[in-house]
Structures are given as structure tokens and as C-alpha cells.
Amino acid sequence: MLDTKIIDAHPYKRYSKTILSDKEIRERSQFFYEAMDSRRSVREFSDRPVPQEVIENLIKTASTAPSGAHKQPWTFCVVENPEIKKQIRIAAEEEELQSYESRMSSDWLEDLKPLGTDWHKPFLETAPYLIIVFKRIYEFGVGGKKKNNYYVQESVGIAAGFLLAAIHHAGLVSLTHTPSPMNFLTKTLCRPENEKPFLLIPVGYPAQDCWVPDIKRKTLDDICIFY
């Protein structure tokens, strides 16, 4: 039996995956749910180093996400340098201060109270790594001609989800941080014009005495409808 073939002039390979029993699938789905249900956004990080190989594996996992026309429209910038992290913190806190003082509505601020957030972002320097996810709006083709990517927002969002799951699975913690606007990241990291910042994710170990809000998730009945 052939393992490869050509379809419309493009190479294909046979997809092989072990078919599990219903019992095994149930057990796996329950185990993964329980594991991910223990994930929390953390704002109190340890400065304990994380092996770079681990970060590389996390990025490779994120890059397995599906994307429109398989364009893979993402760049993951990994920041370990203390001086760059300091620059990012200063710029992020400037934007966050304006947001908390004048940009956010009263309803928004009220909704944030249970989470205990404010414009101070010390974790941007404490966490051993910052992963900044950039979305690539287009690519440069022959002669510098712009070539659009497709479903960029959706594709990068899926990759970010893969990344967060991989971080948790590895035994680390993270936070989805979105200072708005985030254009300062483009300048700080010297990214090209076709890349726009999408998400800033501090990654590391939780602080020894780490606290998170005791929040509850919506029930299955609240979020799912079977037809």
C-alpha cells in the first residue's frame, strides 16, 4: 500500500493514527479536561530559570496549530534579556496607567475588581521569559511584493491557545497580557511592518507563595448546546 501520492500536483502522505477504544477516549478526554481545568492565570512569578529547550518545545507545539492556507502567520519573540524586559515593563505600565485612569469604562473596572488587577506589572521583569506573539498580516514575495495571509486573527488565536495549553502541560504558569495599545512592542523588538503584536505571555514557575482569584467557570449547560 502506497504511503504517498500526488493530488493536483501536490504531494500527500497517508494519515495514520491509532484508533482507541471508546473507554480510552473517555479516559483521555476526562484526564485532559481535569488537567486544563487546574490552569490559572498567574501574576506572581518566581525568577527561577527555565531551560531554553523547554521554551523551544513550547513554541514548536504552538506552531503545530492549523492556519489559513497553511500560511502559519505567526512569529514568537522570546525575551529573556533583563534590560529588554525592563523596557517592556516601563512601556506597558505607561499604557496600562492610561487605560485604568481614562480608557476603561466604569463597568470594565468593576468587572476587574475580583481579579485584583491594576496598572503595576512587575511580573514582566520577574518571569524568566516573555513570549510575545506577533501576527503576520502579509509576507514579502519576489521583488518585495506583498502576499496576503488568510484568517490571520483566527490562526494566531488558535496557535496562542496551543501555546497556553503546552505551557500548563509542561508544569509552568503563564498570563495572557494585552496592554493596549501594544505598538510599543513592535518598536522595542524591532519587528518588521508586516508583523503586529497579538499577545504578551509571561512564562515561568509560580512564586513560592502564589495566590490566584477563586473564580468559577461556567457550567457545560451555560456554554454548550447539543442539537
Side-chain angles (χ1 to χ4, degrees):
M1 182 180 294
L2 293 175
D3 290 325
T4 61
K5 65 179 178 179
I6 303 297
I7 301 178
D8 295 332
H10 296 285
Y12 276 64
K13 67 178 183 179
R14 186 179 301 280
Y15 179 68
S16 59
K17 183 174 177 63
T18 302
I19 305 301
L20 303 175
S21 68
D22 287 353
K23 180 177 181 295
E24 290 173 311
I25 292 174
R26 289 192 188 96
E27 289 175 349
R28 283 194 176 199
S29 65
Q30 181 66 25
F31 176 82
F32 191 69
Y33 159 65
E34 291 176 0
M36 291 304 297
D37 191 42
S38 69
R39 188 204 62 78
R40 290 293 184 274
S41 294
V42 166
R43 292 174 173 81
E44 297 173 347
F45 284 82
S46 165
D47 60 0
R48 174 183 169 187
V50 174
Q52 182 173 315
E53 181 184 3
V54 173
I55 302 300
E56 292 172 354
N57 286 335
L58 299 177
I59 300 298
K60 288 190 291 186
T61 299
S63 73
T64 68
S67 59
H70 195 53
K71 292 297 184 179
Q72 305 164 84
W74 43 63
T75 298
F76 300 91
C77 293
V78 181
V79 178
E80 183 184 16
N81 184 291
E83 183 55 39
I84 299 178
K85 288 196 293 183
K86 181 178 181 179
Q87 292 176 31
I88 290 175
R89 177 185 177 180
I90 292 172
E93 288 185 335
E94 288 178 355
E95 296 294 351
E96 292 286 80
L97 177 60
Q98 291 188 50
S99 292
Y100 276 87
E101 291 189 342
S102 61
R103 294 171 180 163
M104 294 178 177
S105 67
S106 57
D107 286 345
W108 191 349
L109 292 172
E110 188 66 26
D111 286 338
L112 286 174
K113 282 184 178 180
L115 304 180
T117 65
D118 59 27
W119 63 270
H120 297 92
K121 309 299 176 183
F123 51 78
L124 293 175
E125 288 191 85
T126 307
Y129 285 102
L130 304 179
I131 300 178
I132 298 89
V133 184
F134 282 83
K135 57 184 180 181
R136 301 171 68 100
I137 309 302
Y138 56 87
E139 307 294 342
F140 294 102
V142 178
K145 183 179 179 180
K146 293 181 180 179
K147 300 181 64 176
N148 286 335
N149 290 322
Y150 315 107
Y151 297 104
V152 173
Q153 193 80 359
E154 295 85 349
S155 300
V156 178
I158 296 169
F162 275 38
L163 178 57
L164 294 171
I167 291 169
H168 182 69
H169 181 71
L172 301 174
V173 296
S174 63
L175 173 70
T176 52
H177 183 44
T178 52
S180 180
M182 293 194 289
N183 296 331
F184 67 88
L185 291 168
T186 302
K187 181 178 180 180
T188 301
L189 300 177
C190 301
R191 301 314 303 159
E193 65 180 30
N194 64 319
E195 295 184 3
K196 303 298 180 185
F198 181 82
L199 191 60
L200 196 170
I201 308 176
V203 179
Y205 294 96
Q208 187 171 1
D209 189 27
C210 178
W211 294 80
V212 295
D214 186 15
I215 56 176
K216 307 299 180 184
R217 305 190 195 281
K218 292 181 178 180
T219 68
L220 184 63
D221 289 339
D222 291 327
I223 63 172
C224 180
I225 300 173
F226 286 91
Y227 289 91

